[in-house]
Amino acid sequence: MTQRTLNMLALVMPMAMIFGCGDKDEPTDSAVDSGEVEGDADTDADSDADTDADTDADSDADADADADADADSDADSDADGDADVDATIGDVQRGVYPVDTMVTITGYATHNGGSAFFFLNDGTAGPYTGVYVYHGSGIVPDPAVLQGDEVQVTGLVTEYSGDGGDTVTEVIPDELADIVVLSNGNPLPEPTTLTLAELADPGTAEAYEGSLIRVDGVTVTNTDRGFGEFVVDDSLVVDDLIASYSSVLGVGDTFTGLVGMLHYSFGEYKLSPRYDADFEGYVEYTVPCPGDLCLDDLVAGDLIVTEIMYNPAAGNDDYCEWVEIYNNTAGSVDINGLVIYDDNSNTGSIGVSTIVASGGYVVIGKSTEANWTTNCVTDGFVPSAFYGSNPALGNNGDQVILDWDTDTADNIFAAPAYAKDQTSAGYSFQLDSASVDVTLGADITYWCEAVTQINTSTDYGTPGAANDTCF
């Protein structure tokens, strides 16, 4: 090769390198890039078809193949690799997650779990802090969920309506593995105190659905609403979803406080106490005393037996016996509940309000008023109250005792025991009118047979009035 040829080759080779070699990033499709060097149809510097800077085919900025912003390959927004959303109880209750969203929540059981459900609390007090977890009777957590357990639950967010109306938010796990007890014995926050007026507001009640709350100073106004429910202050329904109260309730009974879970059921919000301790400061209602004094106010000697008809002639002994009582106090006395018994402790009692004026007399009769009016010929005299079929005062001797109850260790007053034939048939045995006194009234020497006829009847005595004199 001549020197000229060598010189020519030296000129041609660089030209061939410039014009004869293609772009090393030549695209495999027919698209033409603008402003990039890698040859795909987007404007970024990677080889995929999206506009982000990662190497996957989605449009987010992470390197996975899903459309969310986290680094895992599932479609949820958390950073783990499962298909559920790691949620808070508050967000579930606020409706952040649509129905049928699979979520995982963690909270603390507010009570010992039932056969089909339990409530979880997020560890704080206030609104949106609790939720109802319904696992059904087909899933039995093992170990059982107990109050204070920290529990992780995976389930579907559900809005349940028992009556086709408004709904209650639930999380429903699908299998036993969806309920995991993480720790035990954790403390719970104090319940949030709400007024009945606040609970009557739908917005407030909705915010506290599933939360631990309390109400203070309530009165029972309906003892049996059906289905184990009762009502306080004609406003709040208390149900037995978790526990029922162990005592029989009466209208007017009061509680210093009620604690429980606020739950929505069949169109209304209801309080669900967890155990007896949630029924705080129970006080049984007692009817206000219609007199100045009632039975529990009396002390020994406040009532005195002043006359006894143990062998009437105007009718059968089974229906026509009677006892007169004197009120020895400075005020009126209601003798409702007064117990009367004899020397063999055969007892009867007064079951209706019967007021005796201070310094006044009252007559109580055996059996019933119906039996009296049918069998006793007393010309208009009828006792004020009746003590029943016992005691049956013996004609051969007996005793009349007044008491607060059937405990014979003490009593209000004990009349002296009378003997057989102490009086004639049809004549009452009475305390001397000038000796109506606790001490003298217990001494038989101050007692005698009556001499005053009862109206036009065949019996003698002074029922309901001052007695005859014995001296």
Side-chain angles (χ1 to χ4, degrees):
M1 182 176 296
T2 65
Q3 184 62 43
R4 181 179 180 181
T5 302
L6 291 174
N7 291 337
M8 289 291 292
L9 288 174
L11 292 172
V12 173
M13 289 296 292
M15 301 274 302
M17 292 179 64
I18 295 173
F19 298 106
C21 296
D23 186 347
K24 294 188 182 296
D25 286 332
E26 182 178 1
T28 57
D29 55 30
S30 59
V32 178
D33 294 342
S34 60
E36 59 171 299
V37 296
E38 87 291 321
D40 53 31
D42 55 38
T43 60
D44 56 31
D46 57 32
S47 60
D48 55 35
D50 56 36
T51 59
D52 56 34
D54 57 34
T55 58
D56 57 33
D58 56 36
S59 59
D60 55 34
D62 55 39
D64 57 33
D66 56 34
D68 57 35
D70 56 38
D72 58 34
S73 59
D74 56 34
D76 59 36
S77 58
D78 56 36
D80 56 32
D82 55 33
D84 58 54
V85 175
D86 291 339
T88 66
I89 289 173
D91 283 347
V92 169
Q93 280 290 25
R94 289 183 179 91
V96 171
Y97 307 106
V99 169
D100 292 335
T101 299
M102 182 70 73
V103 298
T104 295
I105 56 174
T106 301
Y108 303 93
T110 56
H111 62 100
N112 294 340
S115 60
F117 67 90
F118 54 87
F119 286 86
L120 281 186
N121 167 267
D122 67 3
T124 64
Y128 304 110
T129 57
V131 72
Y132 181 74
V133 176
Y134 181 78
H135 54 76
S137 58
I139 299 176
V140 181
D142 185 20
V145 173
L146 302 178
Q147 180 173 316
D149 283 355
E150 182 184 15
V151 186
Q152 177 181 282
V153 176
T154 299
L156 286 178
V157 175
T158 304
E159 292 292 334
Y160 175 76
S161 172
D163 60 356
D166 291 338
T167 60
V168 59
T169 302
E170 301 178 347
V171 174
I172 302 182
D174 184 58
E175 58 185 2
L176 184 58
D178 292 335
I179 303 172
V180 181
V181 175
L182 303 177
S183 63
N184 313 107
N186 298 284
L188 295 175
E190 289 296 314
T192 300
T193 300
L194 298 174
T195 66
L196 295 177
E198 287 173 324
L199 288 173
D201 175 64
T204 301
E206 167 71 21
Y208 283 91
E209 177 188 295
S211 297
L212 182 62
I213 68 164
R214 69 175 293 123
V215 291
D216 289 330
V218 294
T219 301
V220 177
T221 52
N222 185 339
T223 61
D224 185 10
R225 193 171 179 267
F227 304 100
E229 299 174 348
F230 66 93
V231 181
V232 294
D233 293 292
D234 294 320
S235 174
L236 179 62
V237 177
V238 182
D239 71 12
D240 60 350
L241 179 68
I242 304 172
S244 58
Y245 191 51
S246 59
S247 298
V248 176
L249 296 175
V251 172
D253 293 353
T254 59
F255 295 95
T256 58
L258 291 174
V259 177
M261 312 309 302
L262 188 63
H263 186 57
Y264 188 82
S265 173
F266 290 94
E268 56 192 343
Y269 287 96
K270 303 174 183 179
L271 184 67
S272 301
R274 302 161 296 171
Y275 29 65
D276 258 15
D278 281 346
F279 298 85
E280 299 177 354
Y282 169 71
V283 177
E284 183 179 359
Y285 174 73
T286 56
V287 178
C289 183
D292 298 321
L293 300 170
C294 277
L295 189 63
D296 290 341
D297 302 315
L298 302 182
V299 298
D302 280 349
L303 300 177
I304 299 173
V305 175
T306 52
E307 192 168 7
I308 304 168
M309 176 61 84
Y310 63 85
N311 187 16
N316 192 305
D317 287 11
D318 289 338
Y319 311 116
C320 304
E321 296 176 354
W322 51 268
V323 174
E324 181 188 76
I325 300 170
Y326 174 78
N327 176 3
N328 195 36
T329 75
S332 62
V333 174
D334 183 6
I335 62 169
N336 187 16
L338 180 68
V339 173
I340 176 173
Y341 58 91
D342 62 13
D343 60 3
N344 287 319
S345 298
N346 298 305
T347 63
S349 63
I350 304 302
V352 295
S353 177
T354 306
I355 306 296
V356 190
S358 174
Y361 299 86
V362 67
V363 177
I364 57 176
K366 187 181 179 184
S367 190
T368 65
E369 183 174 358
N371 284 333
W372 178 279
T373 55
T374 301
N375 297 281
C376 307
V377 184
T378 52
D379 191 23
F381 157 57
V382 179
S384 298
F386 294 83
Y387 53 82
S389 58
N390 276 310
L393 300 176
N395 294 342
N396 294 324
D398 212 334
Q399 186 179 19
V400 174
I401 303 168
L402 305 180
D403 209 333
W404 300 274
D405 49 40
T406 57
D407 180 3
T408 59
D410 54 6
N411 57 68
I412 299 174
F413 184 81
Y418 61 85
K420 179 181 178 181
D421 299 326
Q422 191 81 56
T423 63
S424 304
Y427 288 78
S428 72
F429 189 43
Q430 61 181 211
L431 177 63
D432 174 62
S433 60
S435 305
V436 180
D437 173 84
V438 175
T439 302
L440 300 180
D443 187 343
I444 198 170
T445 61
Y446 291 88
W447 288 68
C448 62
E449 183 178 277
V451 296
T452 301
Q453 185 177 7
I454 301 174
N455 300 325
T456 60
S457 74
T458 57
D459 283 351
Y460 287 76
T462 56
N467 292 339
D468 299 323
T469 181
C470 292
F471 305 105

